[in-house]
Structures are given as structure tokens and as C-alpha cells.
Amino acid sequence: MKLQSIVVLCAAFLLTGISSAFAQEGKISGYIFGDYFYEFSHPDATTEALKRNGFQFRRAYFTYDRDLSENFAVRFRLEMNSPDFGKSDLMTPYIKHAYLSWKNLIPESNLYFGVSPTPTWNVSEEVWGYRAVEKTIMDLRKVASSSDLGMALQGKFGKAGVLNYHLMIANGAGTKGETDKNKRVYLNVPVKIAKAYFIVPYADYEGGNDGKDKNLLAVFAGVQKLNFHGGVEVFQKTSNKALANNADRTESGFSVFGAVKAAAKVKLFARFDVYDPDTDVDNDGNNFIVAGLDFAPEKNVNLMPNIKIESYQAEGKDSNVVGELTVFFKF
């Protein structure tokens, strides 16, 4: 039996068996978001000729949380996504999170072992609030992974929660297997003022063979209130000896976003990104715009028509324009 089939069967077993066997002792939850999308233009003429459109699930989560005792808890989460346009693959679940947490190992802090979220953009994604529409800039540009296998210590200095931290040491391979001896160290130190204003400095470092190490620096500043949430995020990642001539590669990005409440069940949101994949190369960057409307007919259900425009600095290169009707629901 193929490995893919085994994974699907295991997922089916979990979905049908866990709810009855464990629901009384734990919590089952999840969420799903997807779209109908239509690509109006693409910079590659061959791709544009396809007139790509269709329905897709961009994420489906199935999560089981359980407290083992006063001090220990576990989380197991599966993720599934639709394959890219043109591929007929099945939506295959894989492990997104699987970890044991040790609560209050030291005062106001928890220790995590397993596949757990990284601290790279967790705060900015929460303030952005529209992961269902689009990833935050560092996630979109794949400068790090949203989860990794290792150990993490997360907590706050004092009960007030003004100064916080999230320290992690992990493989650096995300949800994939480790391939080398090097590890990645992540750290953010969120400052939260009046439960609404955020300043989050961030850094990580990953060793590399033959001097091919990497480092990432970022900072996020934002506000999260009932009628408005938004922020600004900047980053710079340096990959040493990453290019063919053993030259260093430095990429950078800037993102500003916001959402405002326009009516009882309606918000308007917008975002503007600037990304440069190599700061030593001219006219290789791009700008990215997202704008849309969020209508929530019921709690935990959101309908979000939106448009995405990615334009390029290179001369003669058309923009990529995609319209979407995004649906988000959770349980």
C-alpha cells in the first residue's frame, strides 16, 4: 500500500474514531477556508492563456486538544490543502502540529516539545486577521516555516503580560524531515501595551554547512481594537553563500495593512507589500496589493470577496491579477 493511501486511511480513522472516543475528555475543533478564484491576468503568456479559475480549499484544519493533567496537555492537528491548478492529486492530510506542553514549568511560561508554531509571524498574523484571504508577507515569501519540530519556551515576564517572549530551537525543516546537523533558533519578544498595541522585535539564526548559514531580522508594530486592526511589518533575511558564485543573498520586505468596521457585520480590509528577493539586483522586486470586504452573516462564518494584484519592477512584465470569493468557517 502506498504511503499516501496509508496517511489517508489514518486520517479517516481519526476523523471517525476520535470524536466518540475522546470528545468527553478533550476538545475537537477546526476550520476551513477556500475560494472561487478567477485569474484575470498573468505575467506569463502561456499561463494566462489557461484562464485559470476554479474552486479550492486553501486550508482545512482538524484539531484535537486534551489536558492530560493540571500540568500537561497535548495537541494534534492535521492540515489539508487543494493541489495547485492543473494537478489532479488528492487532498492529502499531514501533521501540522503535534506537541506536548508542560504548563508553568517556570512561572508564567510553558514548555513545548514536538511540532509547534514558530514565533516568526504569529503576532502579525493575528493582528492582520485575514489569513483566510492571504498569508502575511514573511509567510507568503517563504522566509521561514509556520511550524517546526523541536522545543520551545513561551511565556511572559510578570503577570501583567506587557513583556513576553517565545524562544524555540528546532530542525529548521518545518514539517519535513531533518536533513543536516544544523538547527534553527527563533526568538521574538512581543511588547503588548493596554492589551491593544504591539511592538514585536524578532530574530532567528540557522547554521549551514560550509558557511551557508542564514539569519532573519524583523519587527512588527500594530494595533488591535474592536473597530480597527492593522500594522506595519518589515524584515530582512540574509542567506550566506546562497548564490552560484558563493555570494550572499539578502532579501527584504515591507507590509502595511488594516481593517476597519464599516457596519455591524461588515469590515473593509486592505494591504500593501513591497518585496525584494535580492537587494543586490536591480528591478527584480514586486508590489502586492490585497483589498476586500468581510461579511459575517453568522458567528464563525465569513464571506470575503477580494482582489489581489501583484505588479513587477521588471520592464514589460504584466501584473498578476486574481479575483476571489473567499469563504471561511470554523467549528
Side-chain angles (χ1 to χ4, degrees):
M1 182 179 291
K2 292 183 179 180
L3 179 59
Q4 182 177 10
S5 299
I6 295 174
V7 173
V8 173
L9 287 173
C10 289
F13 170 77
L14 286 168
L15 290 170
T16 55
I18 283 180
S19 58
S20 59
F22 298 110
Q24 295 179 357
E25 298 179 349
K27 178 184 177 183
I28 292 173
S29 63
Y31 63 76
I32 297 172
F33 58 79
D35 325 278
Y36 173 75
F37 72 95
Y38 189 93
E39 189 171 59
F40 295 100
S41 69
H42 192 279
D44 182 86
T46 303
T47 303
E48 184 172 13
L50 297 175
K51 299 294 182 184
R52 298 191 297 184
N53 73 94
F55 295 92
Q56 62 180 355
F57 275 148
R58 287 190 291 111
R59 173 158 298 176
Y61 270 171
F62 181 86
T63 307
Y64 176 67
D65 292 296
R66 179 182 175 185
D67 289 333
L68 301 180
S69 67
E70 184 178 350
N71 296 319
F72 291 92
V74 295
R75 163 169 284 190
F76 182 76
R77 170 174 282 170
L78 293 175
E79 178 179 332
M80 292 181 288
N81 308 287
S82 293
D84 293 337
F85 185 89
K87 296 183 179 180
S88 58
D89 301 338
L90 294 173
M91 287 186 286
T92 303
Y94 65 92
I95 294 175
K96 181 67 174 183
H97 297 146
Y99 60 79
L100 172 73
S101 62
W102 189 344
K103 304 175 184 178
N104 291 306
L105 175 63
I106 60 176
E108 306 297 335
S109 301
N110 297 336
L111 179 71
Y112 300 87
F113 174 77
V115 184
S116 67
T118 63
T120 314
W121 53 73
N122 55 338
V123 179
S124 61
E125 183 174 273
E126 179 184 347
V127 175
W128 163 231
Y130 289 105
R131 171 61 185 87
V133 173
E134 190 52 82
K135 302 173 181 178
T136 56
I137 186 170
M138 288 194 287
D139 192 5
L140 180 63
R141 303 306 172 182
K142 303 184 185 301
V143 299
S145 176
S146 61
S147 59
D148 207 345
L149 177 55
M151 297 186 69
L153 188 66
Q154 183 176 14
K156 55 187 178 182
F157 298 101
K159 293 185 178 181
V162 175
L163 184 60
N164 308 269
Y165 71 93
H166 188 167
L167 173 66
M168 185 178 198
I169 180 168
N171 288 337
T175 56
K176 299 178 182 178
E178 178 62 297
T179 59
D180 57 42
K181 63 182 180 181
N182 305 295
K183 299 295 171 279
R184 190 165 186 168
V185 180
Y186 309 77
L187 175 66
N188 75 1
V189 187
V191 179
K192 188 174 183 179
I193 302 170
K195 299 182 179 180
Y197 301 93
F198 299 85
I199 301 174
V200 187
Y202 170 85
D204 73 45
Y205 173 82
E206 183 176 11
N209 298 330
D210 302 320
K212 296 183 178 181
D213 54 316
K214 305 171 185 176
N215 64 80
L216 173 60
L217 300 173
V219 64
F220 168 73
V223 58
Q224 190 174 37
K225 292 188 173 184
L226 181 63
N227 295 324
F228 174 80
H229 51 94
V232 178
E233 188 167 31
V234 294
F235 78 88
Q236 178 175 291
K237 180 180 181 180
T238 301
S239 302
N240 294 310
K241 297 184 179 181
L243 302 178
N245 59 355
N246 275 335
D248 299 343
R249 177 193 175 204
T250 299
E251 53 189 307
S252 64
F254 165 85
S255 180
V256 57
F257 54 80
V260 61
K261 189 172 183 179
K265 296 183 178 182
V266 178
K267 287 184 178 180
L268 303 176
F269 59 87
R271 183 173 126 199
F272 175 69
D273 294 358
V274 178
Y275 173 64
D276 188 347
D278 190 337
T279 58
D280 290 329
V281 177
D282 294 332
N283 299 322
D284 66 332
N286 59 63
N287 298 331
F288 183 63
I289 296 172
V290 182
L293 179 148
D294 173 13
F295 171 57
E298 298 288 346
K299 184 180 179 180
N300 299 329
V301 177
N302 298 75
L303 307 177
M304 296 172 285
N306 63 88
I307 189 166
K308 301 176 184 177
I309 304 171
E310 186 162 21
S311 58
Y312 305 89
Q313 293 178 348
E315 293 185 7
K317 193 173 183 179
D318 293 337
S319 297
N320 186 204
V321 181
V322 181
E324 296 176 344
L325 174 59
T326 300
V327 180
F328 172 88
F329 51 98
K330 63 181 180 180
F331 58 90

